[in-house]
Amino acid sequence: DSGVTQTPKHLITATGQRVTLRCSPRSGDLSVYWYQQSLDQGLQFLIQYYNGEERAKGNILERFSAQQFPDLHSELNLSSLELGDSALYFCASSRGWTVSPLHFGNGTRLTVT
Amino acid sequence: ILNVEQSPQSLHVQEGDSTNFTCSFPSSNFYALHWYRWETAKSPEALFVMTLNGDEKKKGQISATLNTKEGYSYLYIKGSQPEDSATYLCAPQKTSYDKVIFGPGTSLSVIP
């Protein structure tokens, strides 16, 4: 158990809809990262937060947004969903203030029909 | 965006063989280099985080070396076992709170 909790595990929704993915980081971790794994693709970096503030953005679509709350949990919001958004979305956390590895959650499998 | 390259893209070895892969990354503004193991249908798991030039880390039969001046790291697996079959990812980092962008990975298949 990595200590990182992602909910829900699975999500099936229709095109055009909006969903929210939730991530609770490991206790004591301040950095939260979001990654997308599409079919046969690697881990694509979406966005990173550190202690409530956005630190870095990757190839995140404008239809996607995220935030990190004061209790350090994070949410990834995906709107106007398209078939191509179907993917496995991973959240990871790390200490952030010192050298530390990323600990990954089990991922949320999103299927857009 | 950091340009991270990993080679080979995939590797098939016999059980008991030793193998190694390479991770290449920009050597400027370097802080740390991460290695992860990613098994099918699971989440990536950290193997090593390395910071010092010349550093060598070991975990069981897996070890890694780091050259920050020339921007590469090697991952070695001694006596590969079928359970070592996974994708091995590396990722450089510029600061402790910087983004971690993964390379494309090396897919290892160990044939019994």
Side-chain angles (χ1 to χ4, degrees):
Chain A
D1 182 12
S2 68
V4 179
T5 303
Q6 285 190 250
T7 57
K9 288 184 180 180
H10 301 278
L11 205 47
I12 301 175
T13 189
T15 55
Q17 296 298 306
R18 172 190 168 95
V19 297
T20 298
L21 281 53
R22 194 178 193 277
C23 171
S24 293
R26 203 171 61 120
S27 178
D29 285 357
L30 299 184
S31 274
V32 170
Y33 305 77
W34 286 98
Y35 294 90
Q36 178 193 56
Q37 186 206 5
S38 301
L39 192 63
D40 293 332
Q41 298 288 314
L43 277 175
Q44 300 299 314
F45 171 71
L46 295 178
I47 197 164
Q48 178 208 354
Y49 284 85
Y50 175 73
N51 203 21
E53 295 190 4
E54 181 184 305
R55 281 291 308 173
K57 262 187 177 180
N59 297 322
I60 187 167
L61 300 171
E62 286 191 9
R63 300 182 285 107
F64 296 2
S65 65
Q67 55 183 327
Q68 186 180 28
F69 294 87
D71 66 352
L72 301 177
H73 90 272
S74 178
E75 293 181 357
L76 179 66
N77 300 297
L78 315 177
S79 61
S80 303
L81 286 167
E82 302 175 358
L83 295 177
D85 297 327
S86 296
L88 185 56
Y89 291 86
F90 283 107
C91 167
S93 71
S94 72
R95 293 302 191 212
W97 70 86
T98 186
V99 175
S100 63
L102 271 60
H103 297 269
F104 283 80
N106 291 328
T108 293
R109 169 74 64 184
L110 173 66
T111 302
V112 183
T113 61
Chain B
I1 301 292
L2 296 174
N3 294 319
V4 185
E5 298 180 355
Q6 291 189 248
S7 62
Q9 183 177 355
S10 64
L11 203 51
H12 300 264
V13 301
Q14 293 289 330
E15 181 176 354
D17 287 350
S18 294
T19 187
N20 65 86
F21 345 118
T22 305
C23 172
S24 300
F25 53 89
S27 57
S28 60
N29 298 322
F30 174 85
Y31 175 76
L33 191 283
H34 297 239
W35 278 103
Y36 291 79
R37 167 196 164 89
W38 191 10
E39 290 182 70
T40 301
K42 293 189 177 180
S43 304
E45 288 184 359
L47 288 172
F48 310 110
V49 182
M50 308 170 76
T51 58
L52 300 176
N53 183 45
D55 199 7
E56 181 171 346
K57 297 216 173 197
K58 190 173 181 180
K59 187 176 186 176
Q61 298 299 99
I62 304 177
S63 61
T65 60
L66 178 66
N67 184 320
T68 60
K69 294 183 178 179
E70 296 183 36
Y72 65 84
S73 176
Y74 294 138
L75 188 78
Y76 300 92
I77 302 179
K78 183 179 176 182
S80 304
Q81 299 298 308
E83 53 266 32
D84 292 324
S85 297
T87 296
Y88 291 82
L89 302 170
C90 72
Q93 196 177 17
K94 289 186 176 181
T95 69
S96 65
Y97 48 83
D98 190 35
K99 56 184 179 286
V100 176
I101 294 182
F102 291 91
T106 292
S107 175
L108 174 67
S109 294
V110 182
I111 305 162

